[in-house]
Amino acid sequence: NSIESVVLVIRVISLCLLIIPFLSVTRGYLQGNKYVSVSSFSQLLEQMVRIFIVLVGSFVVINILHYDIKWGVSAALLGTSISGLVAYLFLKYKIHKSKNELKIGVDETKKVKVTAKEIIFKIIKYAVPVVIIAVTQNIYEMIDLKFIIKGLYMIGYSGEASEVIGSIVVTWTPKICMVINAIATGLCASIIPFIVESFVKKDMKNVNSKFNQAINTIFLVGFVLVLFIILFNKPIYYIFYGDSAYGPTVLSMMAIVSVFFSIHLVTNMMLQGMRKYKIVYLNTFAGIIANTILDIPLILFLNKIGFYPYLGSLFSTLIGQIISISIVMICLKKEYKFKYNEILKTMLKMILPLSCTLISIIILKLIFKDTGTYFIRFIKLAICGIISMVVYLLVSYKNKSLKYILGDDFIDKILIKLKIKKKS
């Protein structure tokens, strides 16, 4: 926590200011021209590269090169800039390949006359909710870090232990769980422009259907990853950060929180596209206030009943997210008569795939004991991950959960690319 360490981190993260704004504008340009799949894939690509650099970079710097923690944090934060650059170069390549089609859109916009004053007003109007959505997670993290250290100190934890636990809750476990956010939001990003298009056409039935599909997609990806992380919490945490008395338990809870955060993020993105800014402000601030109020009381309550007190901050975050999501769903149901039967049906359909995956993971844990070096444990975990994911996807395909959530066309495209199915 030295000034030098903070300065180093700020300098590293500031590099992304030279890249991310250009990436965002380029994505908006492509989405405006209805090149949705390209923009969505770039988001998925960006997050996957970012996760790789965050996890591998920090591991190499700290555990192999044996540098200080501040350099590991710097390596992790550098992932933001590098992943943004990779995504930006990918988009520029796609724009170059599609320049003739995009030129038609440019020619059409020349006919539309908009004053500079109107453009500035719209930028400010649209930017405020975007900024709120973007900083929501940071606000939650700052609140949790502040109150978890204070709360643990109140119940007798040392200052050093409180600070370590705070770092695990706010910094280290979220980096692992970024996988859930990245895949879920990446898949949902392609749905959002169609929601906006249907909303403009006042086709609220289709908007409702796409809204449910987005949430179902998060469940499809998130639940199995949460299950895997919970059952392999110790080896996963050990591979990246070594032994910890607190890390595995926090990681399990953080995985659950990440699913709900993904839903909150995606629903707010959809509301932004529908220009329902009041609902964005209402649900976001309600969740943050609930988190702030409940942080210390839940830490004290869990300590009193003999449960892990440091999970209190995560429970308060989870409650805040659930409140935010509930407000969104209630408002949409009240104003547009939204129905959520499809979400319930999806959850019921996923019981079988998740049960089969659970059984396979239990068997794999009996076969592959949590012993050996970093490398051996990593190989064991990778094998378990691949096998359990194959079981999950296979059962989901057989009981038609995949097709129900993602649609026949999407599944067929994947099968054709994998050469499992031939073009009709």
Side-chain angles (χ1 to χ4, degrees):
N1 285 333
S2 66
I3 297 297
E4 292 78 11
S5 298
V6 175
V7 169
L8 174 64
V9 168
I10 291 174
R11 284 174 175 167
V12 171
I13 196 63
S14 65
L15 182 62
C16 73
L17 296 174
L18 300 175
I19 300 167
I20 303 303
F22 296 98
L23 173 63
S24 299
V25 170
T26 306
R27 278 193 184 133
Y29 171 65
L30 287 170
Q31 288 174 357
N33 284 278
K34 296 187 178 180
Y35 278 74
V36 179
S37 59
V38 175
S39 177
S40 299
F41 183 78
S42 75
Q43 288 180 306
L44 190 58
L45 176 65
E46 179 192 4
Q47 293 302 327
M48 295 310 294
V49 172
R50 183 184 177 193
I51 290 166
F52 177 81
I53 295 172
V54 166
L55 298 180
V56 176
S58 57
F59 174 80
V60 170
V61 170
I62 295 171
N63 293 300
I64 297 179
L65 300 179
H66 304 293
Y67 281 94
D68 291 338
I69 292 291
K70 66 180 181 181
W71 293 104
V73 174
S74 298
L77 292 175
L78 194 61
T80 304
S81 302
I82 296 174
S83 61
L85 181 61
V86 170
Y88 178 70
L89 293 175
F90 168 76
L91 291 179
K92 294 298 287 185
Y93 169 73
K94 286 295 184 179
I95 288 173
H96 178 73
K97 283 190 68 176
S98 309
K99 58 184 179 182
N100 292 329
E101 292 91 337
L102 291 169
K103 188 175 182 300
I104 297 171
V106 173
D107 292 338
E108 288 178 354
T109 55
K110 288 180 180 178
K111 301 173 185 177
V112 181
K113 291 185 178 181
V114 184
T115 64
K117 185 178 179 180
E118 289 176 312
I119 292 173
I120 293 170
F121 176 76
K122 285 186 176 182
I123 288 173
I124 295 171
K125 182 182 177 182
Y126 298 154
V128 173
V130 171
V131 171
I132 290 174
I133 293 170
V135 303
T136 298
Q137 185 174 13
N138 301 93
I139 294 172
Y140 272 97
E141 289 174 352
M142 286 190 292
I143 292 169
D144 287 341
L145 182 60
K146 172 70 176 175
F147 287 115
I148 193 172
I149 293 175
K150 185 176 180 179
L152 293 178
Y153 184 76
M154 288 169 64
I155 59 176
Y157 279 70
S158 66
E160 184 181 355
S162 300
E163 190 170 313
V164 168
I165 294 170
S167 297
I168 292 171
V169 171
V170 174
T171 304
W172 298 113
T173 51
K175 294 293 182 285
I176 299 174
C177 295
M178 277 170 53
V179 176
I180 298 173
N181 294 337
I183 297 175
T185 54
L187 289 171
C188 292
S190 60
I191 300 173
I192 293 170
F194 293 104
I195 290 177
V196 176
E197 184 177 3
S198 298
F199 181 77
V200 171
K201 294 178 180 178
K202 300 186 184 301
D203 185 0
M204 299 313 299
K205 186 176 180 181
N206 193 41
V207 174
N208 188 181
S209 178
K210 293 296 183 185
F211 180 90
N212 291 341
Q213 185 184 5
I215 294 177
N216 287 338
T217 303
I218 295 173
F219 286 158
L220 176 71
V221 175
F223 283 172
V224 67
L225 290 176
V226 167
L227 184 65
F228 186 81
I229 289 172
I230 289 174
L231 292 177
F232 285 104
N233 58 2
K234 288 184 179 179
I236 290 173
Y237 194 89
Y238 177 82
I239 285 171
F240 292 107
Y241 306 124
D243 285 318
S244 173
Y246 316 108
T249 308
V250 173
L251 178 60
S252 297
M253 188 64 195
M254 182 60 71
I256 298 170
V257 171
S258 294
V259 172
F260 285 90
F261 181 79
S262 296
I263 296 172
H264 182 208
L265 178 64
V266 169
T267 52
N268 270 347
M269 288 167 65
M270 289 187 284
L271 288 170
Q272 179 193 333
M274 295 164 65
R275 299 183 184 180
K276 294 296 174 182
Y277 304 126
K278 287 183 180 178
I279 304 178
V280 173
Y281 303 145
L282 175 64
N283 81 75
T284 301
F285 290 127
I288 290 171
I289 291 169
N291 180 47
T292 305
I293 294 172
L294 293 173
D295 250 330
I296 290 181
L298 283 175
I299 290 172
L300 299 176
F301 173 73
L302 293 180
N303 181 63
K304 189 171 184 178
I305 64 173
F307 198 63
Y308 306 105
Y310 45 85
L311 294 184
S313 64
L314 289 175
F315 276 114
S316 66
T317 299
L318 181 60
I319 293 169
Q321 299 289 344
I322 291 173
I323 289 172
S324 295
I325 296 165
S326 300
I327 288 172
V328 172
M329 298 180 79
I330 290 168
C331 288
L332 291 176
K333 182 177 179 60
K334 186 177 180 181
E335 188 170 352
Y336 298 111
K337 311 299 180 186
F338 269 29
K339 296 179 181 179
Y340 307 109
N341 298 338
E342 292 177 28
I343 297 174
L344 181 60
K345 288 179 182 177
T346 299
M347 295 176 73
L348 293 174
K349 276 182 172 289
M350 290 177 63
I351 291 174
L352 179 61
L354 288 171
S355 299
C356 293
T357 307
L358 175 62
I359 294 169
S360 69
I361 291 175
I362 292 172
I363 294 170
L364 289 167
K365 285 192 74 174
L366 294 174
I367 297 171
F368 297 97
K369 302 294 183 182
D370 184 24
T371 55
T373 62
Y374 280 102
F375 182 72
I376 295 298
R377 291 189 185 194
F378 177 79
I379 295 297
K380 288 180 180 179
L381 192 63
I383 293 171
C384 293
I386 292 169
I387 294 173
S388 57
M389 190 57 66
V390 168
V391 170
Y392 178 70
L393 292 175
L394 187 62
V395 178
S396 297
Y397 179 75
K398 288 296 183 181
N399 83 332
K400 298 183 179 179
S401 297
L402 285 178
K403 286 193 174 184
Y404 181 77
I405 297 170
L406 301 177
D408 292 337
D409 293 338
F410 182 85
I411 299 300
D412 289 341
K413 284 180 183 178
I414 299 295
L415 294 177
I416 290 168
K417 285 185 179 180
L418 296 173
K419 297 183 179 179
I420 297 174
K421 185 176 181 180
K422 293 181 179 179
K423 281 186 178 182
S424 55

